[in-house]
Amino acid sequence: MEKKQFKAESKRLLDLMINSIYTHKEIFLRELISNSSDAIDKIYYKALTDDSLTFEKENYYIKVILDKENRSIKIYDTGIGMTKEELDDNLGVIAKSGSLQFKKDNESKDGHDIIGQFGVGFYSAFLVADTVTVISKAFGSDEAYKWESTGVDGYTIEPCDKDSVGTEIILKIKENTEEENYDEYLDEYKLKSIIKKYSDFIRYPIKMDITTQKLKEGSKEEYEDCIEEQVVNSMVPIWRKNKNELTKEDYENFYSEKHYGFDKPVKYIHTSVDGVVSYNSILYIPEKTPYDFYTKEYEKGLELYSNGVLIMNKCKELLPDYFGFVKGIVDSEDLSLNISREILQHDRQLKLIAKNIKTKIKNELEDLLKNERDKYEEFYKSFGRQLKYGVYSDFGVNKDVLEDLLMFYSSKEKKMVTLAEYVSRMPEDQKYIYYAVGESIDRIEKLPQIEVVLDKGYELLYFVDDIDEFAIKMMMKYKEKEFRSVSSGDLGIESEEDKNTSEVDDKENKELFEKMKSILSDKVKDVRASKRLKNHPVCLSNEGELSIEMEKILNSMPDNPNLKADKVLEINVNHDVFKSLKESFEKDEDKLKLYTELLYNQALLIEGLAINDPVEFTNNICKLMM
């Protein structure tokens, strides 16, 4: 028996593969099962052109046999087998793929696709095995041969006995080391779970002998172990079935089986696309937020299959971040995989699939909003924040995709409304989309700044999420209507008469307001007569892009940037308090200081801002009472 050497470049590649290419050792089983599936496919192809051969699917299968005592795993198939020359050629030269050549020779026959393309998957066996033995008998041959190797040292090929056509791959599993526990691959349930994870949708049965328990004969309590042959894979993936064959329960069961969530999906999307790029997909829009969804630990992405074989558990490139809540799978035969089939090459096909998926999700959400409003609102409670993050992120580049999916609470409707619904109700004289920001609806409804807008009969949107105003600042406008905060310096509501009156009030009280501004020092940018207050004595407004609410949110973050909004203290000159202010300005400077500081702190409290010196504030109240 002659020992042959791998070619020098193959030797280097084998060493590289074992140590570098594959990041997860458990994929050895995926690769070997995929090769077995290819071998059965080749028999199928042959039956298409050879009248003497009939392909009866029940006669073709893959079996995984575990032998714990001898530390071995056997992967057995009833495929086409290999001749001595094919063993030498395909297994002696790494990265030469018999499947790839077969695929080229039999392109476009009957829609079947050969999984293996690179010819390196077989060598992943050396990730877990000291010795790899291949026993094969080719279709149409009377002879069988055994190929054996312990790795980079080379391999042997010799005649052997084998009754039936097909291939057996026997792995002698390595002993444990300090770093690696190879014993786990000698556990039947571990092997079964690996098959279910990566090869559940291989089109041929994958059989295993599984230990089960049954009642001893004649006993009602004692059990005994028995060995039962089971088919451990599903074979036909749900996404390749005709939609007409499937029920809502089928889709919900698949959602549950894949552990996408403990809830039931709000909507499922089953798509089959044939075109420039072909793929099948099932996508789910969940009802509830996963507990870790808004944490760094949450990993978005869809399961990616190539011809029914799991390639990536979380392919994040298939989903934009703002649709990161979507669960599901994509299966395509058109993807360009790298040599290990663990990582995807970022190619045109992937981008096309991702673009189609994004459009599909958007359309389905719009349909849900239009036709099943209650369901959409439940979804929005869970994931509306994520959509708003999508508007805000990347400097608003995605706002056109997402703006029609946004909802906010309406002062007029007393429920959640879309921007389109708000704009459709705007009176002709209304220039802006008005909004108010606060910690809750109840808190906003008590804001003095909202009075003038509501008195005009205009609808207000209530922003209660910390991301709301940031997102709207990125949008700037919706259907050519600008957004305007009730706390902004100019509301665009005042009549010419109001403006003139306000200017007169500011001029008449110029010295008083300058004195108050001096007392408050750098705490406010200005003090002026208010054009918006009706019943309240005081409020804060802001100038510039940074609002008071944004200041609160930014400064509550761990890396507090200590940003300050340009605040304006607005005084209601028609309120009784203003009379006291004027009197104190004319007669008692200490009292003016006391009133000014109290009014400023009152305005801070209304906005939900912290008072700089609570002790001083309480002392000032006591002074006022005395």
Side-chain angles (χ1 to χ4, degrees):
M1 178 177 58
E2 179 190 355
K3 185 161 188 176
K4 298 189 175 187
Q5 293 296 312
F6 290 112
K7 291 187 177 178
E9 61 273 19
S10 293
K11 212 169 186 175
R12 287 194 295 273
L13 183 54
L14 178 57
D15 186 55
L16 177 67
M17 268 188 37
I18 294 170
N19 294 299
S20 304
I21 290 179
Y22 290 103
T23 53
H24 301 290
K25 286 181 166 52
E26 66 183 26
I27 57 80
F28 79 92
L29 199 52
R30 176 193 76 183
E31 295 298 315
L32 297 179
I33 287 173
S34 295
N35 289 345
S36 293
S37 176
D38 287 348
I40 300 174
D41 278 341
K42 290 173 185 177
I43 282 273
Y44 170 80
Y45 278 111
K46 197 159 189 68
L48 294 177
T49 56
D50 189 340
D51 294 336
S52 66
L53 179 61
T54 56
F55 186 86
E56 296 177 3
K57 193 167 182 179
E58 61 270 18
N59 295 329
Y60 295 94
Y61 60 88
I62 301 158
K63 185 162 185 181
V64 177
I65 301 165
L66 176 62
D67 183 349
K68 286 186 184 180
E69 288 185 16
N70 293 305
R71 295 187 69 81
S72 75
I73 301 170
K74 181 193 289 185
I75 297 92
Y76 171 90
D77 70 63
T78 57
I80 201 164
M82 286 179 279
T83 64
K84 178 183 178 183
E85 290 72 23
E86 286 169 334
L87 283 168
D88 197 15
D89 198 20
N90 294 340
L91 303 189
V93 181
I94 299 172
K96 176 161 184 183
S97 170
S99 290
L100 179 59
Q101 187 58 47
F102 193 91
K103 183 179 180 181
K104 289 176 181 175
D105 294 342
N106 293 274
E107 207 78 62
S108 78
K109 283 188 183 175
D110 198 51
H112 269 56
D113 191 33
I114 299 292
I115 300 166
Q117 296 180 37
F118 300 105
V120 299
F122 167 77
Y123 298 93
S124 63
F126 288 103
L127 292 170
V128 298
D130 284 324
T131 304
V132 178
T133 305
V134 180
I135 297 171
S136 193
K137 184 177 183 179
F139 175 79
S141 173
D142 294 327
E143 297 176 319
Y145 290 90
K146 180 171 79 170
W147 181 100
E148 192 166 81
S149 173
T150 56
V152 293
D153 290 338
Y155 60 94
T156 59
I157 299 178
E158 61 180 323
C160 68
D161 294 325
K162 190 177 189 309
D163 295 333
S164 57
V165 171
T167 300
E168 299 172 17
I169 300 172
I170 303 157
L171 311 180
K172 182 74 172 176
I173 301 301
K174 295 177 182 179
E175 297 290 341
N176 290 341
T177 66
E178 286 184 11
E179 295 80 21
E180 296 289 346
N181 175 26
Y182 292 102
D183 282 356
E184 65 176 325
Y185 303 114
L186 297 172
D187 180 274
E188 64 186 60
Y189 293 102
K190 172 68 174 178
L191 291 185
K192 182 180 177 181
S193 72
I194 294 172
I195 293 169
K196 290 291 288 180
K197 179 178 179 180
Y198 292 103
S199 308
D200 199 30
F201 305 114
I202 291 288
R203 63 175 67 93
Y204 306 108
I206 303 171
K207 300 178 180 181
M208 273 190 76
D209 289 335
I210 302 294
T211 305
T212 60
Q213 286 195 320
K214 68 174 184 178
L215 280 169
K216 281 186 177 180
E217 197 171 333
S219 171
K220 293 183 179 179
E221 296 180 0
E222 285 189 86
Y223 288 83
E224 61 183 355
D225 289 342
C226 62
I227 305 299
E228 181 182 289
E229 186 179 80
Q230 295 180 1
V231 174
V232 296
N233 63 322
S234 304
M235 287 184 280
V236 181
I238 184 174
W239 58 84
R240 286 187 181 168
K241 292 181 180 178
N242 193 310
K243 294 179 199 177
N244 298 331
E245 301 172 27
L246 299 166
T247 64
K248 179 185 176 185
E249 287 70 29
D250 290 326
Y251 289 109
E252 289 180 350
N253 288 339
F254 185 71
Y255 182 86
S256 178
E257 287 166 10
K258 298 297 285 181
H259 305 294
Y260 290 148
F262 295 106
D263 58 340
K264 286 191 175 180
V266 171
K267 200 170 184 72
Y268 54 84
I269 310 162
H270 188 171
T271 308
S272 296
V273 176
D274 286 312
V276 178
V277 61
S278 299
Y279 67 92
N280 295 298
S281 68
I282 295 182
L283 309 175
Y284 292 97
I285 298 170
E287 181 183 43
K288 301 294 182 187
T289 316
Y291 72 94
D292 61 344
F293 185 71
Y294 290 109
T295 69
K296 290 180 181 178
E297 286 69 38
Y298 183 81
E299 193 178 0
K300 76 174 179 71
L302 302 176
E303 291 182 31
L304 181 64
Y305 289 79
S306 178
N307 201 32
V309 177
L310 181 65
I311 301 303
M312 294 180 74
N313 204 37
K314 296 280 187 183
C315 184
K316 61 183 180 180
E317 290 80 10
L318 286 171
L319 284 176
D321 280 344
Y322 50 81
F323 288 153
F325 50 81
V326 174
K327 306 282 190 178
I329 70 93
V330 174
D331 185 10
S332 176
E333 298 173 359
D334 294 340
L335 298 172
S336 300
L337 306 177
N338 76 347
I339 195 169
S340 71
R341 283 196 282 193
E342 285 186 283
I343 307 166
L344 203 65
Q345 293 176 353
H346 299 281
D347 60 6
R348 182 168 166 268
Q349 289 92 340
L350 185 69
K351 289 176 182 174
L352 277 172
I353 293 173
K355 183 180 178 183
N356 288 350
I357 285 173
K358 178 182 78 173
T359 303
K360 190 69 177 172
I361 294 169
K362 181 196 172 185
N363 291 343
E364 292 293 333
L365 286 173
E366 286 179 340
D367 180 71
L368 193 68
L369 173 59
K370 181 181 177 182
N371 298 312
E372 297 179 84
R373 181 66 169 247
D374 290 346
K375 277 190 176 183
Y376 186 83
E377 289 189 19
E378 279 302 308
F379 152 80
Y380 196 79
K381 284 178 188 175
S382 297
F383 300 107
R385 174 188 288 261
Q386 185 69 6
L387 299 181
K388 288 179 275 194
Y389 271 120
V391 171
Y392 171 71
S393 63
D394 298 324
F395 303 99
V397 73
N398 301 304
K399 62 184 180 183
D400 292 342
V401 177
L402 299 169
E403 61 185 6
D404 287 320
L405 298 173
L406 302 183
M407 300 186 83
F408 302 96
Y409 186 84
S410 159
S411 64
K412 185 170 284 187
E413 297 295 309
K414 303 299 179 186
K415 64 180 183 180
M416 300 293 282
V417 301
T418 66
L419 295 175
E421 289 164 345
Y422 180 100
V423 169
S424 71
R425 291 191 289 267
M426 284 175 64
E428 284 186 23
D429 66 334
Q430 185 178 338
K431 299 177 186 175
Y432 305 110
I433 299 172
Y434 290 104
Y435 68 87
V437 187
E439 293 170 9
S440 66
I441 291 167
D442 183 59
R443 190 77 178 257
I444 291 173
E445 288 183 331
K446 292 173 182 173
L447 286 175
Q449 294 94 321
I450 72 173
E451 289 177 323
V452 67
V453 178
L454 295 180
D455 284 352
K456 267 294 218 182
Y458 294 161
E459 186 174 0
L460 259 178
L461 296 178
Y462 292 1
F463 290 180
V464 294
D465 266 352
D466 53 13
I467 186 63
D468 287 349
E469 194 171 18
F470 290 91
I472 290 304
K473 292 282 186 184
M474 283 297 173
M475 284 181 67
M476 293 186 286
K477 58 178 69 175
Y478 176 80
K479 297 197 185 302
E480 302 309 313
K481 298 288 185 182
E482 287 184 33
F483 292 93
R484 188 62 57 95
S485 168
V486 295
S487 296
S488 64
D490 179 16
L491 289 174
I493 285 177
E494 303 82 3
S495 65
E496 285 302 315
E497 185 182 345
D498 290 337
K499 288 179 182 177
N500 292 335
T501 302
S502 182
E503 285 175 11
V504 169
D505 288 336
D506 280 332
K507 283 180 182 177
E508 285 184 356
N509 299 288
K510 183 179 178 183
E511 290 183 14
L512 166 61
F513 292 155
E514 283 182 350
K515 183 63 178 176
M516 292 176 73
K517 181 182 174 184
S518 172
I519 291 168
L520 294 174
S521 184
D522 59 350
K523 294 173 184 175
V524 296
K525 187 178 181 182
D526 202 1
V527 178
R528 63 175 72 129
S530 179
K531 294 176 277 188
R532 76 190 79 219
L533 291 175
K534 301 290 181 184
N535 301 310
H536 293 77
V538 69
C539 75
L540 286 173
S541 63
N542 64 269
E543 294 181 348
E545 287 302 306
L546 185 67
S547 72
I548 295 169
E549 198 65 27
M550 291 167 79
E551 173 193 310
K552 283 161 56 179
I553 292 163
L554 290 170
N555 291 337
S556 67
M557 293 178 177
D559 53 344
N560 182 346
N562 200 28
L563 295 170
K564 299 293 181 186
D566 289 332
K567 301 180 187 70
V568 175
L569 186 67
E570 295 194 6
I571 307 296
N572 185 352
V573 298
N574 298 313
H575 198 280
D576 289 342
V577 165
F578 186 66
K579 294 176 185 175
S580 299
L581 268 176
K582 288 193 76 171
E583 286 179 15
S584 63
F585 176 62
E586 291 166 2
K587 300 177 181 178
D588 190 336
E589 190 170 321
D590 288 340
K591 190 173 281 189
L592 175 66
K593 183 175 184 297
L594 174 67
Y595 289 168
T596 299
E597 288 174 347
L598 278 169
L599 284 171
Y600 172 70
N601 282 325
Q602 183 182 338
L604 288 178
L605 288 172
I606 290 169
E607 291 295 331
L609 291 167
I611 294 173
N612 293 334
D613 192 341
V615 174
E616 183 186 35
F617 176 63
T618 55
N619 288 338
N620 284 341
I621 291 174
C622 290
K623 288 178 187 175
L624 187 68
M625 293 172 71
M626 291 187 292

